[in-house]
Amino acid sequence: MDEKVKFKLYRMSVWCGVVVLIANTFAFSVVGKLTPPISPTATPQQVADFLTDHRTGILWAAVIIGVFAPFFYAFAVVTSLQIRRIEGG
């Protein structure tokens, strides 16, 4: 494979990782309202109430994460290739 093409694919794969990071942050923070997390001292009833109140947002957050999950594959493959290159094959 031509080095220019390989470099472009690597660069695109790294940007895929950035897209996944932004999408997950948006899904957890804005849509799911899961940040900051529930207090560890919350009672089971408080946890159940929180999950019931935010059910739709949490489900949409899971959908968003599911849609953007395939972008992470490209990022993981390129990261693996770079680690293998650094280790010497």
Side-chain angles (χ1 to χ4, degrees), residues 21-68:
L21 176 68
I22 291 170
N24 284 350
T25 302
F26 175 76
F28 277 113
S29 300
V30 177
V31 178
K33 294 181 179 66
L34 295 169
T35 51
I38 303 169
S39 171
T41 60
T43 65
Q45 185 60 44
Q46 290 172 328
V47 173
D49 291 340
F50 175 83
L51 294 175
T52 303
D53 293 343
H54 295 93
R55 180 178 187 272
T56 305
I58 293 170
L59 290 174
W60 276 110
V63 168
I64 291 170
I65 292 168
V67 167
F68 284 96

Side-chain angles (χ1 to χ4, degrees), residues 1-10:
M1 180 183 292
D2 184 30
E3 290 298 318
K4 278 187 156 186
V5 173
K6 189 187 295 186
F7 184 74
K8 283 184 181 183
L9 288 174
Y10 284 178

